[in-house]
């Protein structure tokens, strides 16, 4: 691919609800740009962006793809992101390196949850944005309703640039609202100009008024002129729109048909015309030497630096680190310093990435997006810079995973392969993590949703040829006592020669410290149990608290006092006293009113107003205690509650269903508290046969 200077680059993230048409939009643009000789379709599983087998099977994007397009001498790096919340981390990575966004809306489905989520992502990053309404060739598509809906939500920012023209139920052209001219597509792929049809005049007047209101909002002078009844020239409108779009005070609305490849020329022209190049954007890092601010600002003349925003670790094409050059000009065989890892990295060749294909490039200028192969130390969100001018940039905030399952190998002996494969997936996907829960004898895998984890399972099978089984995780219950007891156990074994003898008398009671498994004290007098056997007694306690007598869960909050016992000068041993203690502990524990403790989470649910009743009702069924509800100012409520961990199982699926995927939740551990009798009995019964 050609080398592009900073002013000839646009970095644009495509956002929107799943199925809104982002991937097919990329197909149409790539085809018109001559990057492909045919347009793939999501239905056929042959698109540039969705090249993974699992993506083709499911019919939607699972990861962000970078598609660089050369258009009128400008390189437009399109970042095609997944639209579903299950893969939100991919969108967050892409938004972090984009300089602007196109939010795609299905003309047929209209404004959806993913539309609003896309807007919120742009708001967080203060990204210039525009809407593109797809499927305008469909009879059910309503551009007017979508524009009205956007204006209702986002006010006078919304500025429709075009209107569709239909004749004989066919999408044949559009009205340019700025020029107030109509254009019809012809067989040559270009447009013929004609007068605006009478039936479009009313809609044009409405859209024109909305556009002029957005223009007036860009300055006090324009506001005064607008209310004074003055008119604006086309050049004044375009100039104001350029400033307004850059600042985010104007959000254009465009439209077209992906399948007919119509509307892409105007979209790409407006991307180049109204969206900023990187050198018009601000970016600052931290100078690690002085702890001062390093104003990178995508300046090609400043010391080299780059940010790794995504990693591809594919068993077939290898490992690629996707980067955005934040300053300077990268060249092959540059040696850059990773401050986070205290390591130098030789870059080798530089690449641009096009879906799943890579193409070598001579250099990458500030603001450009490219790929580096086989970096040895560097990971996603790391910074590369020169050792002399070591810089670090703020790491992208990625959504935390809260949904988890226990997983195990279907085939014995695959454990190491599975571990390595999941390690590669976690390198690619920062919303995926694993936890070794040794207390409960399980390995846990965390993701954004049950769907996310199911996708991971399928990718492991298809790509890495290893099968895992996902199952309901064992909840981390604990056992304790609420009473006191005084007990003893004498371990005596004779088998010819030296025997075994250990005798302990212990008292057990609550320690009052639920953070610590046990507290051990000894008040033995007169040498009834020699001091050299005290460590063996404590070892017996240590073994006992690992798996309690009640339901085989770890014990906590127990105080054990060794106060008496006896020994044999020949037969006593550390093993004998350890075994005696274990048996005394088991006996005493069951006599001291044992109870099962369950973990409680502090839960936060962010939900639209209209679904709060459903969510609250469901929480009550899950034994949750609702502590309060606070408005967040955007038509949502934040519900605070406490809920048992076992009631969070499959909560993501239920919440998704109740709120049409519009609610999100998070939680953190709060404390342990005594489980209700029915819960405790069921858990004890379930574990009674376990060793």
């Amino acid at each position: 691919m050609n080398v592009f200077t900073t002013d000839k680059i646009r970095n644009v993230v495509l956002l929107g609800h799943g199925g809104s048409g982002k991937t097919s939009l990329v197909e149409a643009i790539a085809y018109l740009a001559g990057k492909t000789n045919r347009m793939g379709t999501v239905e056929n599983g042959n698109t540039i962006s969705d090249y993974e087998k699992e993506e083709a099977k499911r019919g939607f994007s699972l990861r962000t793809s970078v598609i660089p397009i050369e258009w009128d001498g400008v390189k437009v790096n399109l970042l095609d992101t997944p639209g579903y919340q299950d893969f939100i981390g991919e969108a967050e990575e892409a938004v972090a390196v984009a300089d602007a966004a196109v939010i795609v809306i299905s003309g047929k489905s209209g404004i959806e949850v993913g539309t609003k989520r896309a807007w919120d992502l742009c708001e967080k990053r203060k990204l210039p944005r525009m809407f593109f309404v797809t499927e305008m060739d469909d009879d059910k598509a309503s551009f007017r309703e979508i524009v009205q809906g956007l204006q209702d939500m986002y006010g006078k920012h919304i500025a429709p640039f075009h209107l569709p023209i239909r004749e004989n139920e066919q999408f044949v052209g559009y009205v340019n609202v700025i020029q107030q001219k109509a254009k019809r597509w012809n067989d040559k792929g270009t447009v013929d100009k004609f007068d605006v049809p009478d039936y479009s005049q009313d809609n044009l007047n409405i859209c024109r008024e909305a556009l002029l209101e957005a223009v007036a909002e860009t300055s006090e002078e324009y506001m005064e002129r607008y209310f004074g009844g003055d008119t604006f020239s086309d050049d004044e409108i375009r100039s104001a729109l350029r400033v307004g779009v850059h600042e985010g005070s104007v959000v254009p609305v465009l439209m077209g048909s992906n399948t007919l490849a119509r509307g892409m020329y105007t979209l790409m022209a407006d991307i180049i015309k109204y969206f900023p190049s990187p050198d018009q954007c601000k970016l600052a890092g931290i100078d690690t030497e002085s702890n001062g601010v390093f104003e990178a600002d995508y300046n090609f003349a400043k010391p080299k630096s780059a940010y790794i925003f995504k990693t591809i670790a594919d068993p077939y094409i290898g490992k690629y680190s996707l980067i955005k050059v934040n300053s300077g000009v990268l060249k092959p065989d540059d040696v850059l310093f990773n401050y986070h890892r205290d390591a130098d990295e030789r870059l080798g060749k530089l690449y641009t990435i096009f879906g799943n294909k890579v193409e070598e490039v001579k250099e990458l200028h500030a603001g450009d997006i490219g790929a580096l192969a086989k970096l040895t130390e560097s990971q996603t969100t790391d910074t590369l810079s020169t050792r002399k001018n070591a810089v670090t940039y703020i790491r992208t905030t990625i959504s935390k995973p809260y949904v988890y399952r226990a997983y195990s190998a279907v085939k014995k002996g695959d454990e190491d392969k599975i571990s390595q494969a999941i390690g590669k997936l976690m390198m690619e996907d920062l919303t995926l993590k694993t936890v070794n829960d040794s207390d409960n004898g399980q390995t846990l895998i965390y993701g954004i949703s049950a769907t996310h984890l199911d996708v991971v399972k399928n990718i492991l099978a298809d790509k890495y040829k290893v099968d895992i089984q996902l199952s309901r995780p064992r909840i981390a219950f604990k056992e304790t006592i609420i009473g006191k007891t005084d007990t003893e156990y004498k371990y005596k074994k004779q088998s010819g020669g030296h025997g075994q003898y250990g005798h302990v008398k212990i008292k057990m009671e609550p320690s009052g410290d639920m953070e610590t498994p046990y507290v051990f004290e000894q008040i033995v007098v007169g040498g009834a149990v020699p001091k050299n056997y005290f460590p063996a007694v404590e070892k017996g306690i240590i073994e006992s608290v690992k798996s309690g007598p009640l339901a085989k869960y770890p014990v906590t909050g127990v105080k054990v006092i060794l106060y008496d016992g006896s020994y044999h000068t020949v037969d006593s041993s550390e093993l004998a006293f350890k075994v005696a203690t274990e048996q005394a502990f088991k006996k005493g524990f069951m006599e001291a009113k044992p109870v099962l403790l369950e973990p409680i989470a502090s839960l936060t649910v962010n939900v639209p107003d209209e679904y709060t009743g459903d969510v609250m009702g469901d929480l009550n069924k899950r034994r949750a205690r609702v502590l309060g509800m606070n408005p967040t100012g955007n038509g949502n409520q934040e519900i605070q509650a406490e809920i048992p961990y076992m009631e969070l199982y499959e909560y993501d699926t239920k919440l998704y269903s109740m709120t049409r995927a519009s609610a999100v939740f998070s939680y953190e551990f709060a404390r342990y508290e005594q489980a209700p009798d029915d819960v405790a009995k069921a858990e004890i019964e379930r574990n009674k046969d376990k060793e």
Side-chain angles (χ1 to χ4, degrees):
M1 178 171 263
N2 296 327
V3 173
F4 289 84
T5 55
T6 308
D7 62 317
K8 297 294 184 182
I9 295 168
R10 303 290 187 274
N11 297 308
V12 181
V13 60
L14 302 181
L15 301 170
H17 196 79
S20 59
K22 299 181 295 297
T23 298
S24 56
L25 176 60
V26 169
E27 284 296 312
I29 293 170
Y31 173 71
L32 294 175
K35 295 289 287 186
T36 60
N37 54 19
R38 57 154 182 78
M39 284 171 52
T41 66
V42 172
E43 292 75 19
N44 291 335
N46 59 350
T47 61
I48 305 162
S49 299
D50 294 352
Y51 53 84
E52 291 279 0
K53 183 177 178 181
E54 189 68 12
E55 290 177 310
K57 185 175 85 174
R58 291 180 179 265
F60 56 78
S61 300
L62 303 176
R63 63 171 64 194
T64 292
S65 295
V66 182
I67 312 294
I69 301 290
E70 294 182 45
W71 196 280
D72 287 345
V74 174
K75 181 185 183 187
V76 181
N77 289 312
L78 296 174
L79 296 120
D80 180 18
T81 67
Y84 292 113
Q85 176 69 14
D86 314 83
F87 313 100
I88 187 65
E90 296 286 328
E92 289 167 336
E93 288 175 343
V95 167
V97 294
D99 303 317
V102 173
I103 301 175
V104 181
I105 302 176
S106 162
K108 188 166 57 174
S109 303
I111 298 167
E112 298 175 273
V113 170
T115 313
K116 301 171 187 176
R117 191 170 288 129
W119 179 278
D120 292 341
L121 280 172
C122 293
E123 284 289 283
K124 285 181 184 177
R125 300 288 303 190
K126 300 291 186 278
L127 283 185
R129 72 212 71 157
M130 62 176 64
F131 289 99
F132 186 81
V133 182
T134 63
E135 298 184 299
M136 291 312 301
D137 54 312
D138 193 292
D139 286 342
K140 296 179 182 177
S142 176
F143 185 74
R144 183 184 58 79
E145 286 183 9
I146 289 173
V147 170
Q148 185 62 57
L150 292 174
Q151 289 174 333
D152 291 343
M153 286 192 293
Y154 307 122
K156 296 178 181 178
H157 297 299
I158 303 303
F161 275 23
H162 304 122
L163 279 174
I165 294 177
R166 279 198 174 83
E167 292 178 359
N168 299 320
E169 299 182 352
Q170 299 294 313
F171 179 47
V172 297
Y174 63 95
V175 177
N176 184 311
V177 177
I178 297 174
Q179 299 174 348
Q180 301 184 78
K181 296 289 185 184
K183 299 180 182 181
R184 186 196 308 273
W185 287 290
N186 57 37
D187 295 337
K188 300 174 184 176
T190 56
V191 292
D192 298 322
K193 295 180 182 179
F194 67 106
D195 292 332
V196 177
D198 292 340
Y199 58 79
S200 296
Q201 199 64 53
D202 288 343
N203 280 340
L204 172 59
N205 293 337
I206 293 170
C207 289
R208 176 79 175 177
E209 195 61 30
L211 180 69
L212 293 178
E213 281 190 21
V215 167
E217 293 281 331
T218 61
S219 73
E220 289 185 10
E221 178 196 344
Y222 278 21
M223 184 69 79
E224 289 178 7
R225 288 178 57 188
Y226 174 72
F227 282 114
D230 200 356
T231 56
F232 301 113
S233 68
D234 288 358
D235 287 342
E236 285 178 322
I237 291 173
R238 289 193 181 93
S239 177
L241 289 174
R242 192 171 289 112
V243 173
V245 171
H246 194 168
E247 292 177 346
S249 61
V250 175
V251 180
V253 187
L254 292 80
M255 53 87 220
S257 165
N258 297 343
T259 54
L260 299 178
R262 290 178 176 174
M264 283 78 235
Y265 283 106
T266 51
L267 172 63
M268 293 300 284
D270 286 345
I271 282 174
I272 293 169
K273 189 185 304 177
Y274 295 110
F275 279 166
S277 55
D279 59 345
Q280 296 175 297
C281 303
K282 296 291 184 183
L283 178 71
I286 299 170
D287 185 321
T288 60
E289 184 69 28
S290 66
N291 266 343
V293 175
F294 174 73
E295 294 179 350
D297 295 339
Y298 305 108
N299 189 331
F300 76 93
K302 290 193 175 182
K304 304 177 188 202
S305 69
Y307 177 73
I308 302 172
F309 71 93
K310 182 172 177 55
T311 300
I312 298 173
D314 192 280
Y316 305 114
I317 67 173
K319 178 188 173 185
Y320 287 92
S321 300
L322 274 57
I323 61 165
K324 185 179 187 183
V325 183
N326 289 346
S327 60
V329 179
L330 297 194
K331 297 186 178 181
D333 294 323
D334 276 344
V335 176
L336 294 184
F337 176 61
N338 186 325
Y339 174 78
H340 306 288
R341 315 285 171 187
D342 191 25
D344 287 318
E345 296 273 22
R346 181 173 292 280
L347 304 190
K349 295 178 180 179
L350 306 178
Y351 301 94
T352 56
I353 197 156
F354 184 81
N356 65 342
K357 297 181 175 64
V358 294
E359 185 178 341
E360 195 175 337
V361 66
K362 293 179 181 177
E363 55 190 34
L364 290 168
H365 283 241
D368 207 351
I369 287 174
L372 306 174
K374 299 176 182 177
L375 297 184
T376 55
E377 302 290 336
S378 301
Q379 303 292 336
T380 305
T381 74
D382 283 356
T383 297
L384 299 173
S385 60
T386 63
R387 186 177 277 273
K388 185 179 178 182
N389 297 94
V391 175
T392 180
Y393 295 99
I394 295 174
R395 295 180 185 272
T396 304
T397 300
I398 303 294
S399 292
K400 184 178 177 182
Y402 290 102
V403 177
Y404 63 100
R405 299 286 185 270
Y407 78 92
S408 56
V410 171
K411 183 180 176 184
K412 285 189 177 181
D414 275 355
E415 286 80 7
D416 286 344
K417 290 180 182 177
I418 290 170
S419 179
Q420 291 173 12
I422 290 179
K424 290 180 179 178
L425 291 183
M426 288 194 296
M427 196 183 298
E428 292 185 294
D429 184 354
L430 299 187
T431 63
L432 193 65
K433 74 171 185 176
T434 59
V435 173
N436 181 24
D437 180 13
S438 56
D439 284 347
N440 292 291
Q442 59 186 356
T443 309
L444 304 174
I445 185 166
Y446 281 75
I448 296 296
S449 66
T451 299
H452 183 202
L453 294 179
D454 190 51
V455 165
V456 168
K457 176 185 173 182
N458 291 347
I459 290 175
L460 287 171
D462 292 338
K463 189 182 286 189
Y464 294 94
K465 310 305 177 188
V466 289
D467 293 315
I468 64 169
Q469 180 178 346
L470 297 175
S471 58
R472 182 168 186 161
R474 195 175 187 220
I475 298 300
F477 286 92
K478 289 190 178 182
E479 301 178 20
T480 193
I481 54 175
I482 56 176
K484 297 181 179 181
T485 188
D486 186 335
T487 191
E488 67 175 307
Y489 191 88
K490 185 182 290 184
Y491 178 63
K492 189 175 182 180
K493 190 175 182 182
Q494 203 69 40
S495 58
H498 285 308
Q500 295 288 347
Y501 184 90
H503 178 209
V504 295
K505 293 183 179 181
I506 62 174
K507 292 179 181 179
M508 296 176 66
E509 61 187 48
S511 69
D513 179 9
M514 301 307 289
E515 302 293 321
T516 307
Y518 71 92
V519 174
F520 174 55
E521 290 183 6
Q522 56 76 25
I523 54 174
V524 177
V525 293
V529 177
K531 289 183 178 179
N532 58 304
Y533 291 128
F534 290 171
V537 172
E538 186 165 11
K539 283 181 182 177
I541 298 170
I542 291 171
E543 287 300 313
S544 297
V545 299
K546 288 180 181 177
S547 179
L550 186 62
K552 307 300 184 292
Y553 285 107
V555 171
T556 192
V558 173
K559 184 176 183 178
V560 181
I561 304 167
L562 174 67
Y563 71 92
D564 200 359
S566 62
Y567 73 102
H568 189 281
T569 54
V570 176
D571 290 347
S572 285
S573 66
E574 289 188 359
L575 175 62
F577 273 96
K578 177 175 174 290
V579 173
T581 303
E582 290 175 0
Q583 295 302 318
F585 185 97
K586 185 183 296 185
K587 180 169 174 278
F589 190 91
M590 295 305 290
E591 293 171 351
K593 298 180 181 177
V595 296
L596 201 62
L597 302 175
E598 66 175 341
I600 304 298
S602 294
L603 175 70
T604 301
V605 185
N606 195 295
V607 57
D609 290 334
E610 62 264 36
Y611 299 118
T612 53
D614 293 336
V615 172
M616 299 269 272
D618 181 68
L619 287 174
N620 289 330
K621 292 177 186 176
R622 293 174 182 267
R623 298 192 288 124
R625 288 188 292 270
V626 176
L627 305 178
M629 189 166 67
N630 303 303
T632 60
N634 58 351
N636 281 21
Q637 295 286 339
E638 187 176 85
I639 299 172
Q640 299 285 345
E642 291 183 340
I643 186 171
Y645 265 71
M646 72 180 300
E647 301 294 345
L648 286 170
Y649 183 68
E650 294 186 337
Y651 184 60
D652 62 305
T653 305
K654 181 65 174 177
L655 189 65
Y656 185 100
S657 173
M658 279 190 300
T659 66
R660 297 188 178 182
S662 60
V664 293
F665 73 99
S666 62
Y667 62 87
E668 59 183 17
F669 174 76
R671 66 184 178 281
Y672 275 90
E673 64 180 40
Q674 187 173 335
D677 288 344
D678 59 332
V679 173
K681 285 178 183 176
E683 205 60 32
I684 292 167
E685 182 67 22
R686 184 163 31 245
N687 296 318
K688 67 179 182 180
D689 296 326
K690 291 185 179 178
E691 291 297 327

